[in-house]
Amino acid sequence: MRKYEVMYIVRPDVEEQAFQATVEKFQAIINNGGEVTKSDVMGKRRLAYEIKKFRDGFYVLVNFNATPAVVAELERVMKISDEIIRYLIVNDVA
């Protein structure tokens, strides 16, 4: 297993329950073949520029260990999720 880090931004108009469900959904995908080492919900922040007509969003940072297959599945689900504005998955070298 390799170390990865994912940061994603959830739309600001999502309700609290839907936000929690989104975070839990992505953590469940990671835990299905990997393990979450650290999860940090950074809260609502202003975006540097407008994305899809949104000026702010909820930032979530997750560090995890997983196989490349789990990362591919996580990326596939994030691409089709309406709640996600942006995401980035990188190898964690530290």
Side-chain angles (χ1 to χ4, degrees):
M1 289 201 299
R2 299 180 184 155
K3 292 183 179 182
Y4 292 97
E5 179 178 276
V6 61
M7 175 172 268
Y8 55 94
I9 306 171
V10 181
R11 289 185 359 215
D13 59 351
V14 173
E15 295 179 6
E16 182 67 28
Q17 291 178 342
F19 174 71
Q20 290 298 329
T22 302
V23 171
E24 290 171 7
K25 174 175 70 172
F26 293 132
Q27 286 190 355
I29 292 169
I30 294 169
N31 287 328
N32 187 15
E35 66 173 331
V36 175
T37 56
K38 181 181 172 190
S39 179
D40 184 20
V41 176
M42 300 171 72
K44 192 172 188 178
R45 295 181 181 228
R46 191 112 174 124
L47 300 173
Y49 53 89
E50 191 172 294
I51 302 173
K52 297 181 183 176
K53 308 221 180 195
F54 294 113
R55 296 294 297 159
D56 44 32
F58 292 102
Y59 282 68
V60 181
L61 177 67
V62 180
N63 295 358
F64 63 98
N65 298 325
T67 61
V70 172
V71 175
E73 175 64 14
L74 181 64
E75 187 169 9
R76 184 189 72 77
V77 173
M78 284 187 167
K79 276 184 185 176
I80 61 175
S81 292
D82 291 333
E83 298 89 13
I84 302 298
I85 298 174
R86 282 279 197 277
Y87 70 93
L88 181 64
I89 303 172
V90 295
N91 284 337
D92 192 5
V93 294

